[in-house]
Amino acid sequence: MIVWISFLLAVVLFLALDLGVFNKNPHIISTKEASMWTGIWVTLSFAFSGVIYWLYQNNYVANPDALKPAAATMKYITGYLIELSLSIDNIFVIAVIFASFKIPQKYQHRVLFWGILGAIIFRGLMIFFGVMIINKFTWTTYLFGAFLIFTAIKMLLSSDEEDFEPKESFVYKTLGKIMPITSVTDKEKFFIKTKKGKTATPLFVALIVIEVMDVLFAVDSVPAILAITKDPFLVFSSNIFAILGLRSMYFFLANMLEKFSYLEYSLIAILTFVGLKMLLHHYIEIPEWASLGFIALSLVVGVLVSLKMSKESDLTE
């Protein structure tokens, strides 16, 4: 429990420094600033793999699967890369939500800060129950595997013209029935006083929609990482580092998403791979280095093909 408490305290410290020091005053996040923070979070995430090795080498954390330090480290990195790759779709949806509710750029960081805080809580709950269900009912491994392959097929067959409309979503319509909503923003306030009483601003509405969408994305990502490991600490820590880096990655990639359009196929390949791994785990044992290698290669190929096709498209225009 000391390790868990220390990790959670470190996360709280990171978030407190983020909002209370580095982003105390609302401002537009430049590409340079976003790239710097993206680099910092990615570096910290990979550096934590060294902490994982140390923890499992000295038995400082519960090790239900009796993992060796090297195996635990590879599982953590693999899980982190899966979460990071599946965050790409999340970034696209966040961009659509902000555009739909006309959230000023200087206040977007505040919305994402509270959104990620909620995401940490919801992911923690989903991981806890996911691990518990798989350990108690082993047959659910096949269910999760089939679901991931279904998701991959759905992504492959879906049309690019199927746009997400936040104001037409069930979440927005339900929220409107619960409380009054205004289209007026007042700096970074989530609520303002009007003739109707306390009214939710577009910032609060965007926050709720983002929270719900993250839960829906977690329905894919949590089973995906459970295919790699059922160790609670590895699943939770890799998830959290991917989530913590999501804000800076959003501001870094939001204006360049079209350049990485072929990453969608990388995600399809990854989901299919982990789904098959869950379905065939009793028949085929895939080494940790092979899982990590396949996922890393899928991401690298997706990025390189996207950049090449984007460059060719710019030349033809």
Side-chain angles (χ1 to χ4, degrees):
M1 288 303 295
I2 293 176
V3 173
W4 278 91
I5 293 170
S6 300
F7 181 74
L8 291 172
L9 286 175
V11 171
V12 171
L13 178 62
F14 286 144
L15 291 173
L17 288 172
D18 189 341
L19 190 64
V21 179
F22 300 114
N23 292 283
K24 186 176 182 180
N25 300 313
H27 63 283
I28 296 175
I29 308 293
S30 66
T31 303
K32 182 179 178 180
E33 182 181 354
S35 61
M36 180 191 73
W37 279 108
T38 299
I40 289 173
W41 280 117
V42 171
T43 302
L44 282 174
S45 301
F46 279 104
F48 192 74
S49 63
V51 178
I52 292 291
Y53 189 95
W54 175 70
L55 289 173
Y56 283 78
Q57 184 181 44
N58 295 283
N59 296 315
Y60 288 149
V61 67
N63 189 358
D65 295 333
L67 296 172
K68 292 183 178 180
T73 303
M74 282 192 284
K75 284 180 180 290
Y76 162 79
I77 295 174
T78 305
Y80 171 71
L81 289 178
I82 288 176
E83 293 303 317
L84 203 62
S85 61
L86 292 176
S87 295
I88 301 299
D89 274 354
N90 210 347
I91 289 173
F92 174 77
V93 171
I94 290 171
V96 172
I97 292 170
F98 281 152
S100 178
F101 294 110
K102 296 180 174 59
I103 306 299
Q105 282 187 309
K106 65 187 299 184
Y107 302 131
Q108 290 179 3
H109 182 276
R110 176 177 171 82
V111 175
L112 285 179
F113 173 86
W114 293 107
I116 283 169
L117 189 63
I120 290 173
I121 296 171
F122 286 122
R123 291 291 179 98
L125 291 172
M126 293 184 75
I127 289 167
F128 172 77
F129 287 111
V131 171
M132 185 177 68
I133 289 171
I134 282 183
N135 287 332
K136 192 168 184 179
F137 307 103
T138 54
W139 57 267
T140 56
T141 301
Y142 300 105
L143 187 64
F144 285 156
F147 176 73
L148 290 176
I149 292 176
F150 168 76
T151 303
I153 294 172
K154 188 178 178 182
M155 287 175 66
L156 183 63
L157 299 179
S158 64
S159 170
D160 292 336
E161 297 177 357
E162 295 176 5
D163 297 326
F164 172 61
E165 296 290 345
K167 290 186 178 180
E168 298 297 323
S169 66
F170 174 77
V171 181
Y172 177 76
K173 292 178 180 179
T174 303
L175 192 63
K177 295 177 181 178
I178 297 173
M179 62 179 67
I181 296 174
T182 179
S183 58
V184 178
T185 57
D186 184 5
K187 297 182 180 179
E188 56 185 18
K189 294 180 180 177
F190 287 123
F191 295 94
I192 58 174
K193 290 183 179 180
T194 64
K195 294 179 181 179
K196 296 181 180 179
K198 205 171 187 180
T199 306
T201 66
L203 270 72
F204 181 75
V205 178
L207 171 63
I208 298 301
V209 176
I210 287 172
E211 289 283 16
V212 174
M213 293 307 298
D214 181 76
V215 171
L216 295 178
F217 277 109
V219 172
D220 292 337
S221 65
V222 171
I225 195 173
L226 289 176
I228 304 301
T229 178
K230 297 187 288 294
D231 184 301
F233 187 73
L234 294 179
V235 176
F236 186 70
S237 58
S238 57
N239 249 270
I240 296 309
F241 270 107
I243 292 172
L244 288 174
L246 181 61
R247 287 163 303 162
S248 56
M249 191 174 293
Y250 164 76
F251 291 109
F252 179 61
L253 292 177
N255 298 321
M256 300 187 292
L257 286 175
E258 291 182 359
K259 292 183 179 293
F260 296 96
S261 57
Y262 285 85
L263 264 178
E264 187 84 2
Y265 296 101
S266 296
L267 304 186
I268 292 170
I270 291 170
L271 287 175
T272 303
F273 172 77
V274 294
L276 289 172
K277 185 174 181 179
M278 294 186 94
L279 289 175
L280 303 174
H281 71 283
H282 277 310
Y283 309 100
I284 302 174
E285 185 175 348
I286 301 175
E288 298 309 325
W289 61 266
S291 297
L292 177 57
F294 178 85
I295 291 166
L297 181 63
S298 297
L299 291 174
V300 170
V301 170
V303 170
L304 293 178
V305 171
S306 295
L307 292 176
K308 182 180 179 181
M309 297 303 292
S310 176
K311 187 177 180 180
E312 290 180 0
S313 177
D314 292 338
L315 290 175
T316 55
E317 290 177 2

